[in-house]
Amino acid sequence: MSIRKPSALFLAVAVLLAGAASAQDTKSVAAPARKQASQKSQSSTIRVENVSPEIRAIRFSNPPLNFIVPETLASLNEAVKQLSKDERVKVVVVTSDVPGFFINHFDMGEFPDFLSQFADNGKPMWVDLITNLANAPFVTIASIHGRTQGGGDELALAFDLRYASKEKAVFGQPEVGVGLYPGGGSTDHLTRLVGRDRALEILLTGDDYGADTAEKFGWVTRALPEAQLDEFVAKLAARLASFDRTALATTKKQVNAMAFPPESALLASQGEFAKSLSWPGVQPRMQVFGKMYQELGPLKVESNLGHYVGEGNKQLQAQQAAKQ
Amino acid sequence: MSIRKPSALFLAVAVLLAGAASAQDTKSVAAPARKQASQKSQSSTIRVENVSPEIRAIRFSNPPLNFIVPETLASLNEAVKQLSKDERVKVVVVTSDVPGFFINHFDMGEFPDFLSQFADNGKPMWVDLITNLANAPFVTIASIHGRTQGGGDELALAFDLRYASKEKAVFGQPEVGVGLYPGGGSTDHLTRLVGRDRALEILLTGDDYGADTAEKFGWVTRALPEAQLDEFVAKLAARLASFDRTALATTKKQVNAMAFPPESALLASQGEFAKSLSWPGVQPRMQVFGKMYQELGPLKVESNLGHYVGEGNKQLQAQQAAKQ
Amino acid sequence: MSIRKPSALFLAVAVLLAGAASAQDTKSVAAPARKQASQKSQSSTIRVENVSPEIRAIRFSNPPLNFIVPETLASLNEAVKQLSKDERVKVVVVTSDVPGFFINHFDMGEFPDFLSQFADNGKPMWVDLITNLANAPFVTIASIHGRTQGGGDELALAFDLRYASKEKAVFGQPEVGVGLYPGGGSTDHLTRLVGRDRALEILLTGDDYGADTAEKFGWVTRALPEAQLDEFVAKLAARLASFDRTALATTKKQVNAMAFPPESALLASQGEFAKSLSWPGVQPRMQVFGKMYQELGPLKVESNLGHYVGEGNKQLQAQQAAKQ
């Protein structure tokens, strides 16, 4: 599969958007991330901790908005590959160090870099990462205390188990609302987990979903009171860590063989996402959302994204009606 | 695939049934519908309304029992094809104008006509309609305020999103209870949406299911209080209508490619339905239900169909036991 | 597919375990069952009752722990085959006569005998039984008043409908917790019914799940108050028994064709289970659990199995840490 190069038009829009946001909040959006892409530094967005020989924590941090940047994918993929070689590791718990967000969507200013990011084996970095997560001989557990949006949700969907704070976790796939295709695997995962119609509702509306609805739909494994979440995950991790690694890994492998999206589907989805960057609905929406970022600040928009996706489209619709 | 012609035996039974019901209630069952088959008239059971350039409503009305008649399929298919050509249309909301019913089952007196009804492309009309709904470049939303039974439920299952009134919506697939095969796609849709065992319970018992159970099982997207349903659907439609049509249509297409029953399955199911018209259990049940229609009136039976399917079979069982 | 012979090592462990338990409680575990294997006697663990010409009950009884023994599989398979030939039979209700347990896991002392147990057609007995259940021309209903663990849960998953007592039914797949692969079909069934992540949670933790959670996940068809369960099942069976057998059987067949694990998957799973008997984690866990059986008594352990699977692994982990 060939990944089509995003159009020059979008590059301009994306740079505009990234610039607009940076101007308003120097810590935000694309600026700090861009430098880190494809370099390993002390300031990686990914940190691996030894909880015990059998249990590791992967902590993600890219304040203030916890956007995924290209460095995130490279570092996370490297961590997964290294941990897969360590025969002691049975459980990996994934958490966020940034209040309010678990893993947020891709930094929109970095789309071109994501699409030109490849693993050592020549596969698109995202697809290699997701496949490595599926095949890892340890159990991955997402402990979700905050917003989980777009590519961040698609990462969450690639972990084995997902536990969400009833009070704080929020889920959404905003891509369609900004004119894009949700191409990181959510179409495959959600259709399997929540059924055709609920997957369509989630993907087409781009709206926010609380943890209780996510649990009812089967989007997360369980929703738990915020006060109990860490203890629940710690106990679960400890239990699994006392089990036999071969039994855990073989059973995980078999279930994933049945229900994890195959690499061909992940590649096709990424290709569709790349194509969607040139769709006619993207540029006008990027302009509207860039302006909204400037006026309201990225944190306010990102913390109520489902709502603002609706507002942005409403504004665009009003603008277009006024022109006619 | 060749659709087997229903046996002469069944034709006689069906005509008997239609006649019996018509005698009791002149507005009911087959009589008014038969005339409309394959002709387009002012009195179509399908009406298309422009809510806005982007949003259309398809209103179904065939009082008093809202049976699907051959004209319904032809008109609905034509509406879907026309709306698919209109590049402004992003959302189509499907509703009923008949209190008590969303879309009811096929008019049993018209089974032979349904099976000899073909689209211009030579495909069985039902299969062509369902396929066209799956492929339509707009989002279809069922707003369900009443009973949704048999073929009506199978139509509902072919829409993209299903919102049901907690107080008024009721779902059921009564086919097996009258000795027939549920051949309009419910086997495929329900097995995917609700799982093997719940699909079996629904299809084998032919019983009624309230909206809350339907939501719990994943049969409908959401159940909502009657008082909120219309506003919920209107807001959802307005939100989607402000989004980019390419993004909506491409995402819908991908999800449907994964989870919508393929045309081959729809054809096989219709073939099995056609065969089932000659199964030995049909004729005695048609006689029992025809008598029940006469004695209680079609509205009473149709408004509590799950119960009366059980009662009819109990009567038949008692008759057969008495003979031995 | 060739089923690999379990290692001599495991045989020794299994005999040790069976012996240990028998010493403590002469009625328990392997001893009484071993004699019955592949012989039909008055003392079969399976009893078929005529509720009516159309409804049969299969009652399972192997007190005190309701372990599946080889005789169970042979007798149950024979019953299913005989009932499939009886054209009157439309519904088979499966129940237990032993308080506290529906169908418990395989008797661990009998693993070698299970793996060398073949049906007349040369297929592994377990695979033949499960396939015959899927293909039976009657509807199978599990009425579940007690614990349903391991192979017992995998049998339950192979029935068509599952109704569970809210107060008394408990579900679990403890295999991974004792170092084994859950190879009786649970990977296939659960992944389809509850989704990838919940299937992983159930299979990897080996923990207990109450009926309400099982219903929420879609593991059982419905959870009902203990006081209503028998009446609910009796009414459901009576309703189905009044329906046409061809309609019931054809619809069941179609749904199972879509969603029942194919024989190839069942064979592969059994092969993986056979291999897992030689996995390094099994022997140390069998020793720990054998000791736990001796000290606490099998009934106490089996009646809180999820908990004790955790405790046993914790003890083993502590032992291993002390050695280092």
Side-chain angles (χ1 to χ4, degrees):
Chain A
M1 197 209 59
S2 72
I3 304 288
R4 183 173 151 185
K5 234 191 149 192
S7 70
L9 178 65
F10 177 76
L11 286 175
V13 173
V15 168
L16 175 80
L17 172 62
S22 302
Q24 203 268 348
D25 176 350
T26 53
K27 280 190 188 165
S28 85
V29 194
R34 184 158 297 155
K35 291 284 153 54
Q36 297 172 0
S38 72
Q39 73 177 50
K40 283 182 211 166
S41 70
Q42 296 251 337
S43 61
S44 170
T45 58
I46 295 295
R47 192 157 51 88
V48 179
E49 274 182 12
N50 280 18
V51 177
S52 76
E54 297 88 7
I55 305 173
R56 310 299 163 94
I58 293 182
R59 311 191 70 91
F60 173 60
S61 174
N62 187 17
L65 298 174
N66 252 17
F67 285 138
I68 302 172
V69 290
E71 183 274 336
T72 307
L73 300 191
S75 297
L76 185 54
N77 198 19
E78 190 57 32
V80 171
K81 288 196 285 186
Q82 290 305 320
L83 291 169
S84 294
K85 287 180 200 160
D86 185 335
E87 296 200 350
R88 295 167 304 173
V89 178
K90 299 179 190 171
V91 183
V92 173
V93 178
V94 184
T95 58
S96 158
D97 283 334
V98 175
F101 294 95
F102 175 61
I103 308 179
N104 202 347
H105 56 77
F106 285 95
D107 188 325
M108 289 183 290
E110 303 279 355
F111 280 158
D113 285 348
F114 284 118
L115 291 176
S116 56
Q117 198 184 9
F118 293 90
D120 295 342
N121 57 16
K123 291 181 198 170
M125 182 68 84
W126 171 261
V127 172
D128 195 50
L129 166 60
I130 300 299
T131 302
N132 286 335
L133 282 168
N135 295 337
F138 46 76
V139 184
T140 53
I141 306 177
S143 176
I144 304 174
H145 288 273
R147 285 196 163 252
T148 305
Q149 308 186 133
D153 183 53
E154 289 172 322
L155 259 181
L157 287 163
F159 299 138
D160 296 321
L161 302 170
R162 284 177 291 290
Y163 300 102
S165 163
K166 278 174 180 283
E167 295 91 339
K168 298 193 173 178
V170 177
F171 299 84
Q173 292 285 154
E175 290 88 339
V176 169
V178 296
L180 292 167
Y181 182 77
S186 51
T187 52
D188 294 271
H189 280 296
L190 286 172
T191 305
R192 283 176 169 87
L193 288 173
V194 309
R196 187 176 73 94
D197 55 324
R198 288 173 177 166
L200 284 169
E201 191 200 88
I202 293 165
L203 295 166
L204 298 180
T205 67
D207 217 335
D208 289 346
Y209 290 77
D212 285 328
T213 302
E215 186 195 46
K216 196 168 77 172
F217 281 11
W219 191 346
V220 297
T221 317
R222 292 175 187 260
L224 295 147
E226 168 70 16
Q228 297 169 20
L229 177 55
D230 286 345
E231 194 189 338
F232 179 91
V233 168
K235 278 190 181 172
L236 179 62
R239 183 180 177 99
L240 295 177
S242 72
F243 285 9
D244 178 59
R245 191 172 179 258
T246 304
L248 291 170
T250 308
T251 305
K252 165 178 166 161
K253 189 180 162 188
Q254 174 55 22
V255 171
N256 281 353
M258 280 190 64
F260 203 92
E263 197 168 275
S264 58
L266 295 168
L267 285 166
S269 285
Q270 178 159 332
E272 199 66 37
F273 169 75
K275 273 200 266 179
S276 78
L277 291 168
S278 314
W279 284 351
V282 176
Q283 194 198 17
R285 282 171 180 79
M286 287 295 169
Q287 285 170 344
V288 166
F289 288 106
K291 197 154 162 273
M292 203 177 258
Y293 259 52
Q294 278 187 299
E295 288 170 6
L296 302 174
L299 183 60
K300 187 166 181 182
V301 175
E302 291 290 334
S303 299
N304 201 3
L305 192 55
H307 169 73
Y308 285 111
V309 161
E311 289 304 300
N313 279 282
K314 234 187 262 180
Q315 288 176 20
L316 183 64
Q317 203 177 24
Q319 285 170 23
Q320 290 172 339
K323 275 188 208 162
Q324 288 177 339
Chain B
M1 197 208 59
S2 70
I3 304 286
R4 183 173 151 184
K5 235 189 147 191
S7 70
L9 178 65
F10 176 75
L11 286 176
V13 174
V15 169
L16 174 80
L17 171 62
S22 303
Q24 202 270 344
D25 175 351
T26 53
K27 281 190 187 165
S28 86
V29 193
R34 185 158 297 155
K35 290 286 151 55
Q36 298 171 0
S38 70
Q39 74 178 48
K40 283 181 208 166
S41 69
Q42 296 250 337
S43 60
S44 171
T45 58
I46 294 294
R47 192 156 51 89
V48 179
E49 275 182 10
N50 280 20
V51 178
S52 76
E54 297 88 7
I55 304 173
R56 310 301 163 93
I58 292 181
R59 311 190 70 93
F60 173 60
S61 175
N62 188 16
L65 298 174
N66 251 15
F67 286 138
I68 302 173
V69 290
E71 184 275 335
T72 307
L73 299 191
S75 298
L76 185 55
N77 198 20
E78 190 57 32
V80 171
K81 287 195 284 186
Q82 290 305 319
L83 291 169
S84 294
K85 287 179 197 160
D86 185 335
E87 296 201 350
R88 295 167 304 174
V89 178
K90 299 179 189 171
V91 182
V92 173
V93 178
V94 184
T95 58
S96 157
D97 282 333
V98 175
F101 294 95
F102 175 60
I103 308 179
N104 202 348
H105 55 78
F106 285 95
D107 188 325
M108 289 184 289
E110 302 279 355
F111 280 158
D113 285 348
F114 284 118
L115 291 176
S116 57
Q117 198 184 10
F118 293 90
D120 294 343
N121 57 16
K123 291 181 198 169
M125 183 68 83
W126 171 261
V127 172
D128 195 49
L129 165 61
I130 299 299
T131 301
N132 286 335
L133 282 168
N135 295 337
F138 46 75
V139 184
T140 53
I141 306 177
S143 175
I144 304 173
H145 288 274
R147 284 195 164 251
T148 305
Q149 309 187 131
D153 182 54
E154 290 172 323
L155 258 181
L157 286 164
F159 299 137
D160 295 321
L161 303 170
R162 281 176 293 291
Y163 300 102
S165 163
K166 279 174 179 283
E167 295 91 340
K168 297 192 174 179
V170 177
F171 300 85
Q173 292 286 154
E175 290 87 340
V176 169
V178 295
L180 292 167
Y181 182 76
S186 51
T187 53
D188 294 271
H189 281 295
L190 286 172
T191 305
R192 282 175 168 88
L193 288 173
V194 308
R196 187 176 73 94
D197 55 325
R198 286 171 178 168
L200 284 170
E201 192 200 87
I202 293 165
L203 295 166
L204 298 181
T205 67
D207 216 336
D208 288 346
Y209 290 78
D212 284 328
T213 302
E215 186 194 47
K216 196 168 79 172
F217 280 12
W219 191 347
V220 297
T221 316
R222 292 175 188 260
L224 296 148
E226 169 70 16
Q228 297 169 22
L229 177 55
D230 286 344
E231 193 189 339
F232 179 91
V233 169
K235 278 190 178 171
L236 180 61
R239 183 180 177 100
L240 295 177
S242 72
F243 285 10
D244 178 58
R245 192 171 178 259
T246 304
L248 292 170
T250 308
T251 305
K252 165 179 165 162
K253 190 181 161 186
Q254 175 55 24
V255 171
N256 281 354
M258 280 190 64
F260 203 92
E263 198 168 275
S264 58
L266 295 168
L267 285 167
S269 286
Q270 178 160 332
E272 199 66 37
F273 170 74
K275 273 200 267 177
S276 77
L277 292 168
S278 313
W279 284 350
V282 176
Q283 193 198 17
R285 281 171 182 80
M286 288 294 170
Q287 285 171 342
V288 166
F289 288 106
K291 196 153 162 274
M292 202 178 260
Y293 259 51
Q294 277 188 298
E295 289 170 5
L296 303 173
L299 183 60
K300 187 167 180 183
V301 175
E302 291 291 334
S303 299
N304 201 3
L305 193 55
H307 169 71
Y308 285 110
V309 162
E311 288 304 300
N313 278 282
K314 230 186 264 181
Q315 288 176 20
L316 182 64
Q317 204 176 24
Q319 286 170 22
Q320 290 173 339
K323 274 188 209 163
Q324 288 175 344
Chain C
M1 195 208 61
S2 71
I3 303 288
R4 183 171 152 187
K5 233 190 148 194
S7 70
L9 179 64
F10 176 75
L11 285 176
V13 173
V15 169
L16 175 78
L17 170 61
S22 304
Q24 203 269 347
D25 176 351
T26 52
K27 279 189 189 165
S28 84
V29 195
R34 185 158 295 154
K35 290 285 152 54
Q36 297 170 359
S38 71
Q39 74 177 51
K40 283 182 212 164
S41 68
Q42 295 251 338
S43 60
S44 170
T45 58
I46 295 294
R47 193 155 51 89
V48 180
E49 274 182 11
N50 280 20
V51 178
S52 75
E54 297 88 9
I55 304 174
R56 310 300 162 93
I58 292 182
R59 311 190 70 93
F60 173 60
S61 175
N62 188 16
L65 299 174
N66 251 17
F67 285 137
I68 302 173
V69 290
E71 182 274 338
T72 308
L73 300 192
S75 297
L76 185 54
N77 198 19
E78 190 57 32
V80 171
K81 287 195 286 185
Q82 289 306 320
L83 291 169
S84 293
K85 287 179 199 160
D86 184 336
E87 296 200 350
R88 296 167 303 174
V89 178
K90 299 180 188 171
V91 183
V92 173
V93 177
V94 184
T95 59
S96 157
D97 282 334
V98 175
F101 294 94
F102 175 61
I103 307 180
N104 202 348
H105 56 77
F106 285 94
D107 188 324
M108 290 184 287
E110 303 279 354
F111 281 159
D113 285 347
F114 284 118
L115 292 175
S116 56
Q117 198 184 9
F118 293 90
D120 294 343
N121 56 16
K123 290 181 198 169
M125 182 68 83
W126 171 260
V127 172
D128 195 50
L129 165 61
I130 300 299
T131 302
N132 286 335
L133 283 168
N135 296 336
F138 46 76
V139 183
T140 53
I141 306 176
S143 175
I144 304 174
H145 288 275
R147 285 199 162 248
T148 305
Q149 308 186 134
D153 182 53
E154 290 171 322
L155 259 182
L157 286 163
F159 299 137
D160 296 320
L161 302 170
R162 283 176 291 292
Y163 300 102
S165 162
K166 278 174 180 281
E167 294 92 339
K168 298 194 173 176
V170 177
F171 299 85
Q173 291 286 155
E175 290 87 338
V176 169
V178 297
L180 292 167
Y181 182 77
S186 51
T187 53
D188 294 88
H189 281 295
L190 286 172
T191 305
R192 283 175 168 87
L193 287 173
V194 308
R196 187 176 74 92
D197 54 325
R198 287 172 178 168
L200 284 170
E201 192 201 87
I202 292 165
L203 294 166
L204 298 180
T205 67
D207 216 337
D208 289 345
Y209 291 76
D212 285 328
T213 302
E215 185 194 46
K216 195 168 79 173
F217 281 10
W219 190 347
V220 297
T221 315
R222 293 177 188 259
L224 296 147
E226 169 71 16
Q228 296 170 21
L229 178 55
D230 286 344
E231 194 189 340
F232 179 91
V233 169
K235 278 189 180 172
L236 180 62
R239 183 181 176 99
L240 295 177
S242 72
F243 286 9
D244 178 58
R245 191 172 179 258
T246 304
L248 292 170
T250 308
T251 305
K252 164 177 166 163
K253 190 180 163 186
Q254 175 56 24
V255 171
N256 280 354
M258 282 190 63
F260 203 93
E263 197 167 277
S264 59
L266 294 168
L267 284 166
S269 285
Q270 177 159 334
E272 199 66 36
F273 170 74
K275 272 200 267 178
S276 79
L277 292 169
S278 313
W279 284 351
V282 176
Q283 193 198 18
R285 281 170 181 80
M286 288 294 169
Q287 285 170 343
V288 165
F289 288 106
K291 195 152 164 274
M292 202 177 260
Y293 259 52
Q294 277 188 299
E295 288 170 5
L296 302 175
L299 183 60
K300 187 166 181 184
V301 175
E302 291 291 334
S303 300
N304 200 2
L305 192 57
H307 169 72
Y308 284 111
V309 162
E311 288 305 299
N313 279 281
K314 230 185 266 180
Q315 287 176 20
L316 182 65
Q317 203 177 25
Q319 285 170 22
Q320 290 172 339
K323 275 189 207 160
Q324 287 174 342

